[in-house]
Amino acid sequence: MRKRIAALLVAVLGSACAGPSEVMPEATPPQGLGAAGQGWSEAQRRWFYHASQGTMLLPVSWFLALERPSAPFQEAPLFATTENLSRYGFLPDEASSENPLGLPVGFALDDRGGFSRAGLGGREQVVGLTCAACHTGQIERGGRALRIDGGPAMTNVGAFQKDLGLALAQTLRPIRFGRFAGRVLKEGDTPAARLALRRQVRSMVLGGLTEQAEAHWAKVYPLEEGYGRLDALGRGGNFVFGTQARDRNNLVPADGPVSYPALWDAPWFDWVQYNGAIRQPMGRNVAEAMGVRAVTTVTGSPDTLYDSTVRLDTIAAMEQQLAGPAPGQGLRPPRWPEELLGPIDRAMAERGAAHYARLCAGCHEGGAVAWTEPDAFGRRYRRITMVALEKIGTDPTAAMNFVNRRGRLERDQAPIPADQALKAVTDRVIARWYERNAVPPARQEEMNGFQPNDWRALAAYRAKPLDGAWATAPFLHNGSVPSLYQMLLPAAQRDAVFHVGRREFDPVQVGFVSTPSAGATRFDTALQGNRNTGHEFRNAPPGTPGVLGPELSEPERREIVEYLKTR
C-alpha cells in the first residue's frame, strides 16, 4: 500500500507542472447591483458575508501571494484577485471594516488558528470560507443584478479547492517560490526565513498530496459537482473521519452532490438537510464547518481531543440572525422583482394557486399538522414532510449514501452508522467548546437553538414550503432540472443535458439560462447522482414510482409557474 501511495504522490506531483485543472470562464460583472430586501440591514448583510466560522484554507499572506496555476517558467497573475475568484463563482465585494482586504463574499479572516509566521516569529491570520460562500445567490438580466441573501450560490467550490492546491504545489518551483517568498516575507526576507517558509509550504503540499492520493486510491469523487452544488455530507465525512482521523478505511465515494439549499425559514424547520438528517442548528453548522476545513482534533491526547477551530459563538449568532425572534422575522424569502424580471400575470397566478392547492400543497405545505406543538421553550417549528424514495422517484444516491455509510471513530472500534458517528463527533466538539469557554447551561440551550442534537438517516427527501423557490434554480435536490417549468414536465421531456454556471435569468421558464457557454459545467442527467427522474406529473398507472399525478396541460403548467412567482 505504501508503494501505491508513493506512486500516486509522484503522479500528482507531476501534474503540478501542468496548467490549471479547470477551464473556468472569465467573469463579466453586471453594471448594476441591487439587494432583494429580505429583512436584513446593510450591516447584518455585510457581517454575514465575512464572519468566520473557524474554517482554514491558508495563512492570509500565502493566499495573497499565490500565483494562479500555469505552465512551467511562466509568471502568472495572482490567485486571490477578484477577477480570478469570480471565475469560480464567488461574488465580488468591496472593502469594509468586516472585509478589510476586499475579498469576495464568503471569505473570512480568522486569528484563532494560530498559524506560525515562518521565519518571522509570532502568529498570523488565516483565510477560510464561511456560510455566505455557498448561501448567497445572485440573478442577472440585461446587465443588471439582484443579490439574494441566503440563496444558493453559483460557486464551484470543488474547482476552487483543486486549483488552490495546485497553485500551492506549483509554488515549490524554485523561481516561483522566490517571487512567493518575497511577497510573503517582505522586509523580513532572509535566507533563514525563506528556508523556514519553504519547509512550511512543503509540509502543507505533501499533506494535501497525500490526501489527494488516498482519495484517488479509494475513487471517492467520481462525479463532477460543478457550479452550484456540493456533496457536503460525503466530503465532510471523508475529511473528518478519513483525513483528520488518518484512517483511509473511512473514505467512501461521495457521488451524491446536492444543490446549495436556501437558508430563509430553515431555522424554523423541525428537521433540515435534503434528507431530513439533522434537527439541531448547532450540530448542523458544526458539521458543515468541519466539512469545509475547520480543524478538529479527532485522534490523539485526551487533553486536546475534540478541540476545534470552529467558532460556536459566531455560528450561534448567524443562526439567530437567520431565524429572528419568531418565524418571518429573520431573513425573509425574496420577492419576485418585477422591475428586473417583468410583471406577474395576477389572473394567471390565481388560477395557478388553485392547481397548487390541489396538487402540491399536501406535501409542500404540510396541511393541518404543519406546525409542531410548542416545546419546553414555547417554540414551534414547521413540520417538514419527508417523502419516501419509492414514492418521489428522484435520484436516490444522496439519501442512500448516507443511509449506507459507516465510519469508525477509533481504529479499534467497529464501524457505526454515519448518523450516529456524526452525532457523536458534533456532540463532543460542542461540549468541548462549551467547557473550554465556561458557557453556562442556559446559554448553551440558547446557542443550540433550543433543540437536541438528533441525527437520523432516512431513505427519503424533504418537501419544504416553496416560499422564494423561484430564486433557487436548478431544481430537485441534486440540481438536475434547470427550471420550474421543466419541473412540471414528464421526466422524458426534461433536458437530458444542460449547462450550469451562468447567472442570466430566464423569467419565462424561471431558471438560469442553461445553454452551452465557456467554462460552464456540462450536466449529464444519465449519470448516477445526476438523474432527473421522479417528481412527475404524467399519465401512468396508479402507484407508479415517481409519478405524483396525471400529466398537466400546457396552461396548467404556465399557471403554476406564474403562481410560484408570487411566493
Side-chain angles (χ1 to χ4, degrees):
M1 182 56 64
R2 286 185 177 180
K3 289 182 178 179
R4 181 183 297 179
I5 294 294
L8 285 168
L9 281 171
V10 171
V12 177
L13 274 167
S15 74
C17 297
S21 58
E22 301 284 344
V23 177
M24 310 296 294
E26 294 295 337
T28 303
Q31 297 303 306
L33 175 64
Q38 298 168 254
W40 277 358
S41 68
E42 186 65 16
Q44 287 176 308
R45 297 177 65 231
R46 294 291 173 189
W47 178 81
F48 177 75
Y49 291 167
H50 301 290
S52 174
Q53 298 172 275
T55 64
M56 303 199 171
L57 294 173
L58 290 175
V60 172
S61 64
W62 295 20
F63 186 63
L64 298 179
L66 279 180
E67 296 175 14
R68 288 165 55 171
S70 67
F73 312 115
Q74 291 183 352
E75 182 172 359
L78 293 178
F79 188 91
T81 62
T82 296
E83 292 74 19
N84 185 52
L85 296 177
S86 295
R87 295 166 66 240
Y88 300 97
F90 294 107
L91 296 169
D93 198 20
E94 59 191 27
S96 65
S97 58
E98 297 86 359
N99 183 30
L101 299 177
L103 295 174
V105 170
F107 284 83
L109 306 183
D110 199 304
D111 57 6
R112 293 191 183 181
F115 201 94
S116 63
R117 301 177 67 215
L120 301 178
R123 320 297 277 183
E124 73 168 302
Q125 287 183 316
V126 295
V127 64
L129 296 178
T130 191
C131 283
C134 300
H135 299 286
T136 305
Q138 185 163 296
I139 60 173
E140 300 171 5
R141 184 162 177 81
R144 298 167 59 205
L146 187 73
R147 185 69 52 84
I148 309 291
D149 290 323
M154 194 59 78
T155 48
N156 192 333
V157 173
F160 165 75
Q161 290 184 334
K162 188 175 182 180
D163 283 356
L164 182 66
L166 182 58
L168 190 65
Q170 290 186 354
T171 298
L172 291 175
R173 297 172 181 166
I175 296 176
R176 179 172 285 211
F177 180 79
R179 296 192 295 266
F180 172 80
R183 296 184 189 112
V184 170
L185 298 172
K186 298 179 180 176
E187 66 278 359
D189 190 357
T190 65
R194 285 198 171 211
L195 179 60
L197 178 62
R198 188 173 184 85
R199 285 172 176 165
Q200 279 193 335
V201 173
R202 184 189 297 115
S203 176
M204 187 172 288
V205 167
L206 288 176
L209 291 173
T210 301
E211 182 181 347
Q212 284 187 38
E214 291 184 340
H216 181 85
W217 163 75
K219 297 180 173 61
V220 295
Y221 301 116
L223 185 66
E224 182 182 11
E225 294 151 319
Y227 286 95
R229 64 179 194 160
L230 199 69
D231 189 340
L233 283 175
R235 283 184 177 271
N238 284 339
F239 181 62
V240 174
F241 298 122
T243 301
Q244 295 200 108
R246 301 190 182 106
D247 187 350
R248 61 174 173 266
N249 291 313
N250 275 336
L251 296 173
V252 301
D255 55 359
V258 298
S259 292
Y260 304 130
L263 297 185
W264 50 80
D265 299 333
W268 297 102
F269 295 159
D270 60 344
W271 290 85
V272 294
Q273 303 286 68
Y274 284 105
N275 62 346
I278 315 173
R279 183 186 292 273
Q280 185 191 85
M282 181 59 77
R284 165 171 52 89
N285 286 307
V286 167
E288 178 266 332
M290 290 194 300
V292 289
R293 304 287 162 159
V295 178
T296 303
T297 305
V298 294
T299 61
S301 167
D303 293 338
T304 60
L305 201 57
Y306 299 107
D307 280 346
S308 176
T309 63
V310 180
R311 284 178 170 254
L312 270 66
D313 49 353
T314 304
I315 285 175
M318 282 184 175
E319 198 68 23
Q320 289 167 3
Q321 180 169 302
L322 286 166
Q329 296 182 22
L331 181 67
R332 297 195 295 264
R335 294 300 181 192
W336 179 267
E338 296 194 18
E339 70 284 358
L340 180 66
L341 300 180
I344 297 171
D345 186 321
R346 298 291 167 175
M348 184 183 290
E350 185 175 351
R351 296 192 295 272
H355 304 321
Y356 181 88
R358 174 172 51 91
L359 299 169
C360 313
C363 287
H364 285 288
E365 306 303 327
V369 292
W371 291 86
T372 65
E373 292 299 317
D375 62 16
F377 303 95
R379 294 163 66 97
R380 302 175 71 211
Y381 298 92
R382 191 71 178 260
R383 199 186 306 275
I384 299 302
T385 302
M386 298 302 301
V387 185
L389 295 179
E390 57 266 24
K391 179 179 180 180
I392 196 64
T394 51
D395 191 301
T397 309
M400 292 310 300
N401 279 358
F402 197 64
V403 168
N404 294 327
R405 181 164 195 162
R406 299 292 183 270
R408 300 186 303 181
L409 298 181
E410 298 181 16
R411 289 177 182 270
D412 59 351
Q413 291 183 343
I416 60 175
D419 57 328
Q420 296 179 29
L422 283 166
K423 171 178 168 53
V425 169
T426 53
D427 272 343
R428 294 168 190 177
V429 169
I430 293 167
R432 186 72 165 183
W433 195 94
Y434 288 153
E435 177 188 4
R436 293 283 199 202
N437 292 276
V439 180
R443 175 58 179 155
Q444 292 182 30
E445 292 282 4
E446 182 182 11
M447 291 177 67
N448 289 341
F450 303 102
Q451 296 203 68
N453 188 23
D454 294 338
W455 290 66
R456 63 186 184 181
L458 302 179
Y461 291 121
R462 69 180 185 181
K464 71 178 186 66
L466 297 183
D467 300 324
W470 64 267
T472 62
F475 298 97
L476 291 182
H477 71 279
N478 61 352
S480 61
V481 179
S483 69
L484 275 180
Y485 175 78
Q486 290 201 24
M487 279 295 300
L488 301 173
L489 291 172
Q493 297 178 34
R494 297 167 181 164
D495 288 346
V497 174
F498 60 97
H499 292 76
V500 182
R502 298 176 65 183
R503 296 196 187 92
E504 187 71 15
F505 201 80
D506 180 347
V508 176
Q509 302 289 316
V510 186
F512 294 106
V513 173
S514 57
T515 52
S517 59
T521 303
R522 184 180 185 273
F523 198 112
D524 184 353
T525 64
L527 300 176
Q528 178 178 315
N530 283 0
R531 302 195 191 284
N532 66 354
T533 55
H535 197 287
E536 292 183 79
F537 293 94
R538 66 177 171 88
N539 299 323
T544 300
V547 178
L548 305 181
E551 187 164 341
L552 302 172
S553 68
E554 182 66 9
E556 287 174 326
R557 293 187 194 110
R558 293 295 180 186
E559 287 160 359
I560 293 172
V561 168
E562 203 69 12
Y563 166 68
L564 290 174
K565 294 178 184 180
T566 71
R567 295 294 299 267

